[in-house]
Amino acid sequence: MALEEYRRKRRFGETPEPPGGAAAGETGLFVVQRHAARRLHYDFRLAIGGTLKSWAVPKGPSLDPGARRLAVRTEDHPLEYGDFEGVIPEGHYGAGAVMLWDRGVCLPEGPLSLEEQLERGELKFRLRGHKLRGGFALVRMKRSPGERSEQWLLIKHKDCFASPGWQIGEHDGSVGAAGPLDPASIEGAERAPLPGRVEVMLAAAAPRPFSDPAWLFEVKWDGMRAVAVLDGTDWRLYSRTGRDVTAQFPELKVLPESVLARQAVLDGEIVVLDDKGRSSFERLQPRMQAARPAPALLRQAPVDYYVFDVIHCDGWDLRRTPLGERKRLLRSLLAGTPPVRYSDHVAERGEELFALVQREGAEGIVAKRIDSPYESGRSEHWRKIKAVRELDAVVGGYTAPRGGRKHFGALLVGLYRGGHLEFAGGVGSGFTEREQAALLQALEPWRTARCPFARTPETDEPAFWVQPRLVIRVRYAEITADGRLRAPVYAGLRGDAAPEDCRLESEAPQIVRSGALTTRAAIEAELFRGERDEVAIELDGARLRLTNLNKIFFPERGYTKRRLLAYYWRVADFILPFLKDRPLVLRRHPDGVAGPAFYQKAAGAEKPPWMKTVAIASETRGRPVDYYTASDLPSLLFLANLGCIEFHPWPSRIDDLDRPDYVFFDLDPTEGTAFGVVTEVARRVAGLLRRARCPVFLKTSGATGMHALVPLERRYSFAQARAFAEIVGRLVAHEAPELIDWERATGKRQPGRVYFDYSQNAYGRPLASVYSVRPVAAATVSAPVTLRQLRPGLTPDAYTIETVPARLAREGDRWAAFWESRQRLEPVLERLRRLAGG
């Protein structure tokens, strides 16, 4: 049926119903409208092929599988009709009140699309609405002779949402004001595919409760943090550390139907509630340890998932949207029925909420800025205030048993301060005998002869050391002045927590008490001599957080991420002129050179609001890509903090991407080629260009090759720059054919030669910047060299993050005249022609 029938029956100048536009091809929505016409009925509509396919259901849909409802097919309606509520005037077709009784998402079951199923006369689908949930079927009955309309049956499947005896009259009311179901309407939402792993946002610690109209306050759940990823009917659960825990919580299989979205990424806490409705970490313990829980355990310790944030919804990334807007959307997306629940909040009155949770014996509260984005890692925009004194600690050893104990005496635990694990005390109570046996078994694979604590603690019984891998929850009376836990009691094993996150609580409140470091002297002191693993800074009006500062990035040299950031702090004035206003292709090493790496072009959701990007059209993606730029020190530090060890800028700037302002020669040694051969080719390139009175600037690549750059006036295309580079290469090869290889395929190159790569002079093809660190074991730098330095014995390992700042201080910047040396190519080519005897 087409919209012609719908329009023929209505006079749109007199009825408030929408005339409807052209079919838009949208599929996957449903709406049910309560229609008080001459006879009360419910209109059930599915968005298929750009229109609302419609059935009149006299008794209305039902969640009772035994109640088969007659559904009479009517004319197609426009998609806009799905938002219609109002009164159709007397004398018009369908006169009466129309109410939005339900609406949401419809997903097909089986391999066929809804459109294909409709043609076959049998639709099977799942609904995610405010009132209708789970599986349904629409089945066309055979038409009797003389019948003018199609008659179908609307049937509810038997599933967890089925409700025998369900009565539609008990579920009246409009959903028209149920909140924004369209994430595109939210400020800051960005079109993006469903993300992969999401690093969760963590709260800093605050010393006391507070009230503030700019903040909202939630109950702090004592459970297991979990991110839910929903895609159609598929769903996965991930722990805070990224571990897939879907199989551990089978009762949460209702998640897809509990959310009014086709795709979503949710953040929340999995808890087991006690008899008073409080989250109990003790009761959750057996669920956290069971990879696939038995039916008896599911009955003894059923879980609930309290969702407090939405990160992604139906193709929209929400991490840059204000928290208040995310919460408003989240409330509208959730049905709010167990075991998936909306984690509510109160605005402004934090002290009142804290007093309440104290009286109830709950763990505490979390304060969140209403306007805060979703930031991965620990953030001062979220602050936890605990009513119960407990923390997570790392097990570094245990003592021999004494008395009646069989397995161990006490667990020796520690907390990190900076990069060191400081001993925090022995935990000797709170265990059952079964828990002791399980803990000893879990610790056995990590036995080591070396004490993991910064200082070996004294113990009354013999101590056995383990690598710091297991994390436990500990309740305690207080922390003494020397950092020891007084009266610690074991509260459970934390399989979802990372050891490096277990820190002295006294470190976290510094974010709240002292705020960010705001002076260059303070930031420099922290980068060069500090020990904190995480610090917030304010620099040139930009606010950013530097994290995992003590993580080893270069294992062979022992250099940390802090050392990398300190290097870029020192050389910022020298590298930034070569990065400023240029698109960057990032190569990120989040775990240092020994870990996995990946290239990144598009700026991610972690981009702070002050960070400058440039949108560039992409043929492969079909939409513009936002590239990062680094024109100032905060941007440089932010990208290095992401794990960008090296920087690859385009040869052109954002105001004219088609015109490079330098041409480069990439000299790449083939297999078995000594570095001396590379320097010889570089010496010949520089010598030829100097004879043509063309300034040339040389640098090591930082790996095994060398680069030569010629600054250009911005009047040439990439094709012209590339042709110039090839001409220079051919002339050098004419002088020394035994040194040059032109073969692009790596496997076909001759050993002992240098591949002269001129083809990289092209749109969007970056080159490692001068003064950029390279991701190699020795932490080498792409460093300037002079023609005089191109002599036997030169090695790229001489230029590292340790030696280059010292050389700059001693010798100055050898590329200081680069941008004052821009050339026109025509006279250089003419002089090269004469030198070649042409």
Side-chain angles (χ1 to χ4, degrees):
M1 298 182 185
L3 291 179
E4 284 76 12
E5 177 72 7
Y6 167 82
R7 291 167 178 151
R8 184 183 64 79
K9 293 181 175 181
R10 291 161 176 82
R11 301 190 299 274
F12 294 109
E14 302 171 14
T15 177
E17 298 167 282
E26 186 170 356
T27 301
L29 305 175
F30 86 93
V31 63
V32 179
Q33 287 159 317
R34 183 183 184 275
H35 193 172
R38 184 169 55 90
R39 291 181 180 177
L40 175 65
H41 66 277
Y42 292 78
D43 291 311
F44 183 80
R45 312 189 197 278
L46 296 177
I48 301 176
T51 61
L52 290 173
K53 310 302 179 186
S54 301
W55 290 261
V57 185
K59 294 185 178 181
S62 176
L63 290 181
D64 185 347
R68 298 190 170 202
R69 298 301 198 214
L70 175 67
V72 180
R73 179 84 184 272
T74 63
E75 74 273 13
D76 294 355
H77 284 52
L79 293 174
E80 294 92 329
Y81 208 93
D83 295 321
F84 174 64
E85 269 191 320
V87 177
I88 302 173
E90 288 292 332
H92 289 264
Y93 176 77
V98 177
M99 179 184 73
L100 278 173
W101 183 83
D102 198 12
R103 64 180 173 186
V105 175
C106 174
L107 295 170
E109 285 191 334
L112 298 181
S113 68
L114 290 174
E115 203 156 13
E116 291 170 323
Q117 293 187 50
L118 181 65
E119 288 295 320
R120 293 179 54 164
E122 182 176 0
L123 293 98
K124 294 181 180 180
F125 49 86
R126 302 191 71 80
L127 300 182
R128 300 177 188 172
H130 294 272
K131 300 174 183 178
L132 299 180
R133 300 248 165 178
F136 288 81
L138 264 172
V139 182
R140 184 168 54 205
M141 297 187 292
K142 290 185 177 179
R143 186 181 297 182
S144 301
E147 279 187 334
R148 293 166 47 188
S149 59
E150 291 184 0
Q151 294 190 348
W152 299 57
L153 286 178
L154 178 61
I155 305 167
K156 176 73 183 83
H157 290 162
K158 293 180 179 179
D159 56 23
C160 60
F161 294 99
S163 179
W166 188 90
Q167 298 295 322
I168 195 168
E170 299 173 2
H171 302 274
D172 208 356
S174 171
V175 298
L181 297 181
D182 184 6
S185 65
I186 297 179
E187 172 195 350
E190 297 181 343
R191 269 287 185 193
L194 197 68
R197 178 183 171 184
V198 174
E199 185 181 352
V200 298
M201 185 169 179
L202 301 172
R208 62 187 64 85
F210 62 95
S211 296
D212 191 316
W215 294 71
L216 59 81
F217 301 86
E218 301 171 349
V219 171
K220 187 179 189 301
W221 300 105
D222 195 3
M224 175 180 171
R225 187 76 172 272
V227 172
V229 180
L230 313 179
D231 188 3
T233 57
D234 295 331
W235 66 286
R236 308 303 295 174
L237 279 172
Y238 298 95
S239 73
R240 171 176 151 182
T241 56
R243 183 168 56 92
D244 190 328
V245 295
T246 310
Q248 289 182 245
F249 304 102
E251 60 264 64
L252 296 182
K253 64 184 178 182
V254 299
L255 257 168
E257 278 81 17
S258 299
V259 182
L260 276 71
R262 289 180 289 273
Q263 291 183 326
V265 179
L266 309 175
D267 192 1
E269 194 95 357
I270 296 173
V271 302
V272 173
L273 301 177
D274 65 14
D275 298 336
K276 295 184 178 180
R278 300 170 301 191
S279 55
S280 170
F281 188 74
E282 181 180 357
R283 294 191 180 193
L284 180 65
Q285 273 289 288
R287 295 299 307 272
M288 294 178 68
Q289 308 312 318
R292 293 185 180 275
L297 181 57
L298 294 177
R299 292 191 298 270
Q300 293 166 7
V303 302
D304 286 277
Y305 183 42
Y306 277 89
V307 187
F308 48 71
D309 216 326
V310 54
I311 299 168
H312 183 96
C313 181
D314 284 339
W316 292 89
D317 192 309
L318 304 170
R319 282 175 280 194
R320 295 185 190 175
T321 66
L323 171 65
E325 292 297 299
R326 299 200 306 274
K327 293 282 283 190
R328 192 161 65 93
L329 173 65
L330 178 62
R331 187 192 293 271
S332 75
L333 294 177
L334 297 181
T337 55
V340 180
R341 302 173 183 259
Y342 174 71
S343 183
D344 212 341
H345 63 272
V346 298
E348 185 175 349
R349 301 190 304 275
E351 291 161 305
E352 293 178 35
L353 181 62
F354 186 80
L356 176 63
V357 301
Q358 269 191 318
R359 288 196 302 271
E360 296 296 325
E363 188 186 9
I365 65 173
V366 180
K368 300 179 178 181
R369 280 196 65 92
I370 295 174
D371 61 354
S372 62
Y374 192 97
E375 303 172 320
S376 294
R378 203 166 298 281
S379 171
E380 65 198 78
H381 291 143
W382 289 10
R383 302 177 184 178
K384 57 184 177 182
I385 305 111
K386 290 187 176 181
V388 176
R389 293 190 174 185
E390 60 182 20
L391 50 69
D392 293 339
V394 186
V395 180
Y398 57 90
T399 60
R402 64 178 175 180
R405 291 212 167 160
K406 295 182 180 179
H407 306 289
F408 57 81
L411 296 179
L412 305 176
V413 301
L415 298 166
Y416 279 98
R417 184 192 294 275
H420 306 292
L421 184 63
E422 301 286 352
F423 179 63
V427 181
S429 63
F431 315 98
T432 65
E433 185 174 326
R434 178 180 293 180
E435 285 173 329
Q436 275 198 306
L439 283 167
L440 188 62
Q441 184 178 4
L443 291 169
E444 188 61 31
W446 308 114
R447 285 279 299 270
T448 179
R450 181 179 178 183
C451 174
F453 300 110
R455 289 177 291 277
T456 303
E458 296 182 4
T459 59
D460 294 334
E461 304 296 332
F464 303 91
W465 309 118
V466 296
Q467 297 177 39
R469 301 296 178 86
L470 265 65
V471 176
I472 64 171
R473 172 70 61 84
V474 180
R475 294 192 178 96
Y476 62 97
E478 65 177 356
I479 299 178
T480 63
D482 59 352
R484 301 292 174 88
L485 301 174
R486 190 170 70 79
V489 178
Y490 173 78
L493 183 64
R494 290 301 303 258
D496 62 325
E500 58 268 21
D501 288 337
C502 300
R503 309 200 150 268
L504 285 168
E505 289 289 338
S506 58
E507 289 192 342
Q510 291 178 7
I511 300 172
V512 178
R513 290 200 304 266
S514 59
L517 302 179
T518 57
T519 67
R520 286 186 173 248
I523 299 169
E524 188 170 294
E526 181 61 43
L527 287 179
F528 294 169
R529 298 178 296 279
E531 293 186 348
R532 285 200 282 178
D533 197 51
E534 186 173 315
V535 62
I537 67 173
E538 285 188 10
L539 181 64
D540 299 338
R543 192 178 185 89
L544 64 154
R545 180 172 297 282
L546 307 178
T547 59
N548 298 315
L549 293 173
N550 298 309
K551 180 180 285 187
I552 300 296
F553 261 37
F554 299 89
E556 184 177 291
R557 300 293 177 94
Y559 295 158
T560 61
K561 184 179 180 180
R562 179 193 306 278
R563 188 76 66 89
L564 177 72
L565 288 164
Y567 167 79
Y568 279 121
W569 177 279
R570 287 187 174 105
V571 304
D573 290 342
F574 305 103
I575 190 175
L576 282 173
F578 295 89
L579 306 180
K580 183 178 174 62
D581 295 331
R582 298 177 189 275
L584 298 176
V585 176
L586 310 183
R587 189 183 184 204
R588 293 175 58 178
H589 295 73
D591 295 314
V593 298
F598 59 93
Y599 282 98
Q600 177 179 332
K601 292 183 179 180
E606 68 273 4
K607 183 185 85 68
W610 48 263
M611 188 82 175
K612 186 177 181 181
T613 60
V614 56
I616 301 176
S618 170
E619 293 181 1
T620 57
R621 298 198 181 197
R623 57 182 175 83
V625 173
D626 278 334
Y627 283 75
Y628 280 114
T629 65
S631 299
D632 51 36
L633 180 54
S635 301
L636 184 68
L637 294 178
F638 171 79
L639 294 175
N641 185 65
L642 289 182
C644 298
I645 293 176
E646 57 186 340
F647 287 87
H648 291 257
W650 282 28
S652 54
R653 284 179 279 157
I654 59 178
D655 59 342
D656 190 351
L657 292 172
D658 294 313
R659 304 288 175 182
D661 47 13
Y662 55 80
V663 57
F664 61 86
F665 312 90
D666 187 2
L667 309 180
D668 190 12
T670 63
E671 185 178 357
T673 303
F675 191 67
V677 178
V678 183
T679 58
E680 172 61 19
V681 174
R683 189 185 64 78
R684 288 177 177 271
V685 171
L688 174 65
L689 289 170
R690 288 199 171 189
R691 292 197 301 274
R693 300 200 302 278
C694 177
V696 59
F697 293 80
L698 301 171
K699 67 183 182 75
T700 63
S701 71
T704 57
M706 290 200 66
H707 299 148
L709 279 72
V710 172
L712 295 180
E713 291 187 6
R714 289 209 300 167
R715 59 172 61 217
Y716 303 104
S717 66
F718 278 101
Q720 290 171 311
R722 187 165 57 251
F724 173 76
E726 182 179 8
I727 289 170
V728 172
R730 298 293 180 186
L731 291 174
V732 172
H734 181 74
E735 293 179 354
E738 73 284 359
L739 299 179
I740 305 297
D741 197 309
W742 297 101
E743 179 58 57
R744 292 180 63 89
T746 305
K748 296 181 179 180
R749 294 174 189 169
Q750 298 183 56
R753 298 195 176 201
V754 173
Y755 174 54
F756 196 105
D757 190 357
Y758 60 86
S759 63
Q760 291 286 77
N761 289 277
Y763 181 89
R765 295 284 186 88
L767 182 74
S769 173
V770 66
Y771 296 116
S772 173
V773 184
R774 302 307 301 274
V776 296
T780 53
V781 171
S782 182
V785 293
T786 63
L787 187 59
R788 184 175 298 175
Q789 289 174 309
L790 295 181
R791 57 180 182 269
L794 178 68
T795 169
D797 289 352
Y799 304 96
T800 69
I801 61 175
E802 287 293 295
T803 63
V804 167
R807 286 177 180 267
L808 281 167
R810 184 175 62 251
E811 303 169 359
D813 183 12
R814 297 192 180 278
W815 279 31
F818 187 93
W819 299 113
E820 288 73 45
S821 306
R822 292 184 176 92
Q823 296 293 299
R824 295 186 63 172
L825 291 179
E826 293 85 355
V828 177
L829 287 168
E830 176 59 26
R831 289 190 285 270
L832 287 173
R833 185 185 65 79
R834 293 174 184 171
L835 289 170

